[in-house]
Amino acid sequence: MTTSLREAWAALPSRLRLLEPVTFSDAEWSLLERLHGNFNDREAHADLPLAIARFRDAAVKEIFERARQFDDVVTVNVDERWEERAAVGAGDAMVPWVRLYNEEVDAMIAVLVPPARYRKEHYAYGRFVFPEPHGLHTDHSLEDPAAGGEPICIARIETLGTHYVDGDYRLQDAATQSMLKALRYWTPVPEGEPEQVFAELLRRGTLKTIPVNHVMLMVAGNAADNAQVTQHISARPPEGGLHSAFFQRQYRLA
C-alpha cells in the first residue's frame, strides 16, 4: 500500500495546472498512510490540518487580482445549479479557478482518501471586513448527523490566514478549555477578554496558523466519538479590511 500510494501521488503533477502537490516528510507519509487505510483514525486527526498542495505563483497573482476588484465579499454556494449559472456567464470572476480547484483537489483526495465523495462546497472573494474574528468553529455535515470525521479541503489566497487548535483539544487543561470557549462564542471568560485570549493562545502555540496559498486537508464531521474535527478561526483583517479569496470543498465517506 505504501508504494502504490506514494507512486500515485508522484504521478499527479503532470495532470495539474493550478496546484503543485507538496513533498511529504516520512512522518507526514506515516500520517497519510493511516488516513488512507482508515480516515476516522482519531489519533491521526490530531495531526491535521496538513498542507497537501500549493497554488502556482501565476495562479495566486491572477486570483488575488480578481479578488481585489470587489470591495464587498462575494460568497457562492456550489449547488446543483452552479454549473448552469456559470455557463450563462453570471459575472462570477472566480468560476475558472473554482473549476480547476475542484478537479485538482478531487484528484488529490482520490489518491489520499479513496472512499471520499464530494458532499458540498462554497467559496468567497473580495474585501473581507469583520468586526471580530469568525468564532472558533468546526465544519459540520448537517446532511448526515451521524457522520464521523470527513475530509475537507480549504485554501486562502494571499492574505487572511486561518488559525486552528493544535493537537487534541479535548486534552487541554481546564483553563485552556475556558479560553477556547471565549473564542468560540467571542465572550469574556475568567482568563480574559476574547482579544487577549486570542493573542495569548497564538503566543503559546495552542493556536497555529494555516499558511496561505496552500490547500489544507482538515477534518469536518459531527458529534461522533471517533472524530476529532478541526477547530479553526479566521484571522482578523486590519481596519479597512483585506482582499482575499477562500475555497472550501468538503467530502463524505462512501
Side-chain angles (χ1 to χ4, degrees), residues 62-239:
E62 188 162 347
I63 293 170
F64 186 55
E65 286 303 316
R66 294 193 185 191
R68 289 180 62 186
Q69 297 172 16
F70 297 84
D71 280 333
D72 293 318
V73 175
V74 179
T75 301
V76 180
N77 289 310
V78 178
D79 57 22
E80 63 277 2
R81 297 192 60 195
W82 180 77
E83 280 289 355
E84 177 185 335
R85 294 194 303 270
V88 299
D92 187 337
M94 287 296 159
V95 164
W97 300 110
V98 174
R99 283 201 181 109
L100 280 175
Y101 179 81
N102 293 349
E103 292 170 7
E104 298 187 7
V105 170
D106 283 354
M108 290 187 291
I109 289 296
V111 170
L112 298 177
V113 190
R117 302 292 183 269
Y118 169 72
R119 181 185 286 283
K120 63 182 179 180
E121 176 182 21
H122 77 272
Y123 58 97
Y125 56 93
R127 184 167 62 92
F128 288 78
V129 181
F130 297 125
E132 60 194 36
H134 184 8
L136 189 68
H137 68 288
T138 59
D139 289 286
H140 295 295
S141 300
L142 298 179
E143 306 92 338
D144 186 1
E150 298 182 329
I152 183 170
C153 290
I154 72 168
R156 178 79 76 174
I157 300 300
E158 203 62 11
T159 55
L160 292 180
T162 301
H163 311 299
Y164 65 94
V165 181
D166 188 39
D168 190 338
Y169 56 83
R170 302 182 198 185
L171 300 181
Q172 299 287 353
D173 59 73
T176 303
Q177 293 280 8
S178 176
M179 295 170 80
L180 293 174
K181 181 179 179 181
L183 301 188
R184 188 169 295 111
Y185 302 107
W186 209 253
T187 55
V189 292
E191 290 74 19
E193 296 291 326
E195 288 281 8
Q196 298 168 322
V197 168
F198 191 34
E200 175 61 17
L201 291 180
L202 277 172
R203 186 193 67 78
R204 292 184 188 180
T206 305
L207 288 179
K208 293 189 181 297
T209 302
I210 290 173
V212 297
N213 303 334
H214 284 72
V215 178
M216 306 299 298
L217 174 62
M218 298 168 46
V219 187
N222 289 292
D225 290 338
N226 65 342
Q228 177 178 286
V229 290
T230 306
Q231 297 201 338
H232 52 287
I233 182 170
S234 301
R236 178 197 282 274
E239 187 174 353

Side-chain angles (χ1 to χ4, degrees), residues 2 5-6 22-36 41 43-51 112:
T2 299
L5 175 59
R6 298 192 187 199
V22 303
T23 299
F24 297 120
S25 67
D26 287 342
E28 288 167 340
W29 271 122
S30 178
L31 169 65
L32 289 167
E33 286 157 7
R34 291 175 66 175
L35 294 171
H36 184 270
D41 183 329
E43 290 183 0
H45 287 173
D47 291 326
L48 295 178
L50 176 69
L112 298 177

Side-chain angles (χ1 to χ4, degrees), residues 236-254:
R236 178 197 282 274
E239 187 174 353
L242 274 177
H243 289 86
S244 188
F246 177 78
F247 304 93
Q248 177 173 304
R249 189 164 177 83
Q250 185 174 330
Y251 301 84
R252 59 183 173 84
L253 297 179

